[in-house]
Amino acid sequence: MTTSSTALTLQPSQLAMAISNPGALGTIDAYISTVNRLPMLSAEQENLLARRLRDDADIAAARELVLSHLRLVVSVARQYLGYGLPHADLIQEGNVGLMKAVKRFDPERGVRLVSFAVHWIKAEIHEYIVRNWRMVKVATTKAQRKLFFNLRSMRPDGQTLDPHQVDEIAANLNVRREDVREMEVRLSGREISLENQNDDDDAYAPIAYLSDNGRADPTQVLARRDEDVMHGSGLDKALEQLDERSQRIVRARWLQDDGGATLHELAAEFGVSAERIRQIEVAAMKKMRVALSA
């Protein structure tokens, strides 16, 4: 079976790109228009292609099966637009599910690919929605996923559920009433942007009071640690590398609370010139820097 030229004006490489990225055709409307013009397969054509794929690993047959069911993905993805996610992204994820279904389809089971594929398409879209609907994951267990995709439509006018409604929903979905309450709270929650979304300088966004002023910044943590070492055990070890006179000069010049001794005062103490004290100080500081950096 070949695709008619009137139904498809794209080259195979272009359409392959469109399958993985519906936006590749320019707009989502252009993509939908294109896939809706693709010819559908009869049961006989579908079985023939499925056997070629199964028995001969025929990639061309897989391509025909995928192309003929792209409109199904569009239809299924449209049902999930209420979650606020881009239609093109929903279709893209649904296409992944369709390709998985085509790979696993067995023509000998006596069912059409459309019936088999719809479950894989929905599963892939569900997974995408759960991953991306909110930054905080709202459905991590099987019961929560069931509630996530049903509770929105079962809540009358989005109002808070009364105890009777909670019990009824829990019974219908075969989940605990506590799970119903928990998911209701999660779905009713409102997301808040960390930063201001407008030009109002007076707006008070959470980023203003959630910041720790750099206390957890790795570079500052390391800098403070190095500083503590410099003023603690590291300094003592560096001083130990000096002779007694050099230690006395460094301590007197730099480690006194009263401002330290002058070169002339130390020169008088050791009976040498002030220039000699300066030379000893420079050599001692150089040796200490080497010790501290080791």
Side-chain angles (χ1 to χ4, degrees), residues 116-286:
F116 180 75
V118 69
H119 301 290
W120 285 92
I121 295 169
K122 286 185 176 181
E124 208 68 30
I125 292 176
H126 284 186
E127 183 67 26
Y128 171 73
I129 292 174
V130 169
R131 288 197 316 266
N132 296 278
W133 191 60
R134 283 187 178 173
M135 290 179 63
V136 178
K137 300 299 182 286
V138 298
T140 56
T141 68
K142 185 176 181 180
Q144 289 174 343
R145 287 171 182 264
K146 185 187 297 184
L147 282 167
F148 180 79
F149 288 104
N150 288 277
L151 191 56
R152 285 164 60 96
S153 60
M154 299 179 75
R155 286 195 302 172
D157 302 323
Q159 299 299 315
T160 302
L161 299 174
D162 59 40
H164 174 72
Q165 291 169 328
V166 171
D167 291 336
E168 184 177 356
I169 292 175
N172 289 339
L173 298 179
N174 193 28
V175 297
R176 299 181 308 166
R177 65 189 317 276
E178 291 81 4
D179 292 331
V180 177
R181 281 298 191 193
E182 181 182 357
M183 186 57 64
E184 180 189 20
V185 171
R186 292 187 179 191
L187 291 176
S188 300
R190 183 173 64 90
E191 292 182 343
I192 302 176
S193 174
L194 283 175
E195 299 182 344
N196 292 334
Q197 299 299 304
N198 50 51
D199 297 328
D200 184 4
D201 292 336
D202 295 330
Y204 194 53
I207 195 67
Y209 55 83
L210 291 178
S211 173
D212 66 352
N213 297 320
R215 288 194 299 272
D217 187 325
T219 58
Q220 295 193 27
V221 170
L222 291 174
R224 285 195 297 271
R225 187 184 68 180
D226 291 343
E227 185 177 354
D228 291 341
V229 171
M230 288 280 288
H231 288 83
S233 59
L235 181 58
D236 291 336
K237 291 181 179 179
L239 283 169
E240 291 175 359
Q241 307 300 314
L242 306 179
D243 59 76
E244 185 176 345
R245 183 174 62 172
S246 297
Q247 285 189 33
R248 165 62 184 152
I249 292 173
V250 170
R251 291 183 185 278
R253 291 277 290 158
W254 300 102
L255 301 179
Q256 301 298 318
D257 294 332
D258 58 359
T262 66
L263 293 175
H264 291 285
E265 290 173 342
L266 290 170
E269 178 180 338
F270 288 102
V272 296
S273 66
E275 176 59 22
R276 179 55 183 156
I277 295 296
R278 188 193 66 78
Q279 293 173 353
I280 295 173
E281 178 186 6
V282 170
M285 298 296 285
K286 184 181 295 185

